[in-house]
Amino acid sequence: MASNSYPAGFYFMLSLKGEDAAFQEVSGISKELGIEEVISGGENQFKYRLPTTSSGQNLVLKRALVPEGSSLVDWCIACIDGGLNGAIQTNDISVSLLNANAEVLVMWAFHKAYPIKYAVSDLKSQENAIVIESIELAYTYSEIIESSSNISNLFD
């Protein structure tokens, strides 16, 4: 009998270089097919809308500020501060949605990702809030992995 339960958006896992990283929020998981409008000679009532390439938004990761050394933050700083003086180190990143038994339901893989922005939330003396660091990543392409056999062979 099929289950009528839907996956909860709060139970997810992010993996970078084979290591799991804890984040409170991940946004920007999307794909979009671009279009090009073409005007046909002599036809002025409409434009043809033709498909072009697919693209996605930047991946945005948010978590409480980690005061001690973090290899993820070190990678961000090295890429951003290094500019174009050397090659930017890319990494494959995966975001997995888990079920109640911690089994992967769906995985999104982001290939050749690199940091483009690192930010820390505003510091305000009148508020008692946790300081949040935000990391924004660009990537070459992404894919949706739904099969457990495909997940195990993903980054080999």
Side-chain angles (χ1 to χ4, degrees), residues 25-36:
E25 183 179 333
V26 176
S27 62
I29 299 175
S30 70
K31 282 188 163 198
E32 183 176 333
L33 185 61
I35 61 161
E36 176 183 0

Side-chain angles (χ1 to χ4, degrees), residues 23-25 59-67 70 72-77 80-81 115-123 130-137:
F23 283 88
Q24 81 183 61
E25 183 179 333
L59 193 63
V60 180
L61 314 173
K62 293 182 180 181
R63 69 178 179 185
L65 180 69
V66 177
S70 163
L72 178 61
V73 173
D74 292 344
W75 173 54
C76 290
I77 300 304
I80 294 169
D81 287 349
I116 59 170
K117 183 178 181 180
Y118 174 82
V120 175
S121 63
D122 295 340
L123 306 175
I130 295 174
V131 177
I132 302 295
E133 67 182 345
S134 174
I135 298 168
E136 189 168 341
L137 305 169

